[in-house]
Amino acid sequence: MSRRTGPIAAAAAALRRRVWLARAALAWERLWPALWPATLIAGLFLAAALFDPWTLMPGWLHAALLALFGAAFVGALGRAATRIRAPTEAEAIRRIERASGLEHRPLGALGDRPAAAPGDRTAERVWGAHLERMARAARRLRVGVASPGLASRDPLALRAVLLLVLIVAATAAGGDGASRLARAFQPDLSGLGGGGPAELDLWITPPAYTGAPPVFLATGPRAEPALQPAEVTVPSGSVVLARVRGGRAVPRLEIGDEQIPFTTVEGANYELRTTLTKGRRLAVVQGADELAAWPLSVIADKPPVIEFAAPPARTHRAALRLDYLAEDDYGLASIEATIRRADDPGQSFTVDPPLPRVGATSAREISFHDLTSHPWAGLPVTITLGAVDAVGQSGASDAVATVLPERIFNHPVARAVIEQRKALTLDPTKRVEVSLALYEISREPQKFFEDLTVFLALRVARWRLLYDDSAKATAEIQDLLWDLALTIEEGPLALAERDLREAQQALLDALAGEAPDEEIERLTDALLAALDEFLDALVARAMEQQAFATGLEGQLLQALRRDDLVDLIERVRELSRIGARDAARQLLSQIQQALENIRLGGFPAQQDLTQGDAMLRDLGRLIEQQQELLDQTFRRAQGAGQPRDDDRSGGARQQELRRGLGEVMRGWSETGIPIPRPLGRAEQAMREAGRALGQNLPGQAVGPQSEAIDQMQQGAQAMIEGLLRQLGQGSPQPSNFLGLFGGARDPLGRNAPGRGYTDDGRTRVPDEADVQRSRAILEELYRRANDFDRPALERDYIRRLLRRF
């Protein structure tokens, strides 16, 4: 009997564990159906809280709904408590027997006792065998899965719908879920009590591109009457941020007839954000009370206005000069010029004249565009200027008719190639005629120095015209013919000129944009290299034409001295380094204008230059001799005593100089250039000085002699300008040549160093002293930014300043 006690005891222990699990399953099957109504109510409240509808309803309704949910939840819990009964051990055992498929309630036998009399061995053996059989059966016991039977109580599957609603609500709440749950339990009941007076703070922030300052409006203790405007005037698109603290109801913003409710932030705090586009009155109303109101004026953003300041013109280097005037109330974003064929307005292309800076409210700029390589060069076109502001509004000028600048080719072969290129542009169907013309040109290689490259290019263009009629091939052939004509006409000078223009434009674009300092340095170096190549090619070209074979070369090149131009470009680099990019760009534009005034070729005859050079030299000697005579006359006028014989000889000397001036004027007239008027005034002053000296009155001769020197200097300047106009250099400004006859201007007509470099009055170009001071300030800022003994706030401020540089 003892051998059987062990298995039976183990079976009893296993049964006790399963009984505990069975009781738990029975408890869940009774608890979950009873708690389902309360769970449903709690889930609905949680979903509502996550959707946050409380800000859209008054506080009393929020409180009423909260109380309703609370009462329903408590009621459902109370009902569930009356229906829940703890399961007994017998009920748990019976569940196990049913789940395990045991018949005759065998688990009860493990606790039974035999009814036979003690000592009956047969009965004990039978009973022991029965217990062993029951123990083996107990090892196969199952508790079964708990089944609350909720489906029968929820035939509409509301539990699944509730779960989906909770998922959607949680997704909508996002990171604001915790604060929304907190607001659900905090109804705003401030409107039910007396409440304090509401306070309003209102900010109006204009769009950033307008540059207008923000407007602050307030009521209550924070309001400063001196700062509250009588009328609110703001640009269209301004953002309103309003906050109200206190009061009895949710306030609203009234803009004209439009009413916009505030959003409840928490408690009696409300906020609103909107954009102003129209309206004449701005008011904040809370309940029946008007917290504040202001007259409102919303200024619409006007479209930009642009027009030609001067008609489009051709420069001496055949570039298109565009001189425009543009304005916008808040700032320009871009400028473009649309060029259309006069005979076919449907065809067009655009070029982009630069702005002085992005966001400029007005711009008067001159830009140069090399369009000589364009197929339309030499054809009638119309040009329309367009301007765009920061919000995308556009304005356009009237169309102006002009002829697109065309390069004049002097070499007969180059001219013939360009004529065929233009014929192909006007009528692309004449491919056969153009190819035949190119073939005829290639048959006379002696006319283009028997250059094999030119010959092959002509043949390639011919065969492509015959066997490739695509639009892409036509454009490529036009480019080939252009490069071919340049090679024949100018050789390396044309390529150098093109590279110079491209380098100038690249640096201008970089200065106008936000290019880094390293890019500015690289483009400046490229411009210096391109300028060096261009000037070398220009001088070589001039020497070929023997334009500067006389001593006049040194004077004429004053307008284009290599060192001066290099110094100016280095100044552009320096200005960019110290952050003065507007000034750097303005100075570079002036350099570009000066270079555009250079005409390549077409110099006057050698005889005219020699004659002009001789007259200038003679005039220079006359000025020196007149200065010596003036010094002598002044010393005699200062002396005391009787007149001397050499006073009369001074009069004769003065008359001799006057006759010499007359010879210079006659010689100058033979060059075909008008005689400068100052020379006539100098001759009259010499006549008066000679008369005074002849009368032994040296004191009265000093004034006329000084006047004669001044007029001759002006006449010499005018003579040089006349020669430059004949050379194609344009019309230099007075005193345009630094170092000639006491002039005080640099090669671009501006004040010389030390007198302050300025442009037309809009952007001041700093002089050398300003640049040195700026560099010193910049170095001191860098030093302080790296001084860790200084406060962190100061170093952070300095670093923000240095980000611009």
Side-chain angles (χ1 to χ4, degrees), residues 170-189:
T171 303
D176 194 36
S179 61
R180 292 189 179 189
L181 287 175
R183 282 197 296 271
F185 292 97
Q186 298 173 355
D188 180 16
L189 302 178

Side-chain angles (χ1 to χ4, degrees), residues 9-29:
L15 177 61
R16 284 194 296 273
R17 289 192 298 271
R18 286 172 173 77
V19 167
W20 185 86
L21 293 175
R23 293 183 72 172
L26 286 172
W28 174 249
E29 290 174 350

Side-chain angles (χ1 to χ4, degrees), residues 22 95 206 208 299 315 335 343 427 445 494 533 640 709 754 798:
R95 175 189 175 85
I299 302 175
T315 69
I335 303 291
D343 58 346
D427 189 358
E533 293 180 3
I709 292 173
I798 293 175

Side-chain angles (χ1 to χ4, degrees), residues 133-197:
R133 189 168 58 252
M134 292 300 100
R136 288 194 298 272
R139 285 194 292 270
R140 299 191 301 273
L141 298 179
R142 294 195 301 274
V143 176
V145 179
S147 178
L150 190 60
S152 60
R153 295 175 178 268
D154 182 24
L156 298 178
L158 294 179
R159 58 193 184 279
V161 175
L162 177 62
L163 180 61
L164 290 175
V165 171
L166 285 173
I167 293 173
V168 173
T171 303
D176 194 36
S179 61
R180 292 189 179 189
L181 287 175
R183 282 197 296 271
F185 292 97
Q186 298 173 355
D188 180 16
L189 302 178
S190 59
L192 300 178

Side-chain angles (χ1 to χ4, degrees), residues 505-522:
Q505 192 61 45
L507 184 54
L508 277 173
D509 294 341
L511 289 172
E514 298 295 333
D517 293 339
E518 296 78 7
E519 181 69 7
I520 298 295
E521 292 285 337
R522 185 186 67 80

Side-chain angles (χ1 to χ4, degrees), residues 54 57-67 183-196 246-250 264 266-270 286:
W54 322 115
M57 61 182 68
W60 64 267
L61 180 58
H62 181 183
L65 290 176
L66 183 63
R183 282 197 296 271
F185 292 97
Q186 298 173 355
D188 180 16
L189 302 178
S190 59
L192 300 178
R248 297 173 177 270
V250 176
T264 302
E266 58 177 349
N269 295 324
Y270 310 93
Q286 190 174 41

Side-chain angles (χ1 to χ4, degrees), residues 43-62:
L44 291 175
F45 178 78
L46 179 62
L50 292 176
F51 280 121
D52 199 24
W54 322 115
T55 57
L56 304 177
M57 61 182 68
W60 64 267
L61 180 58
H62 181 183

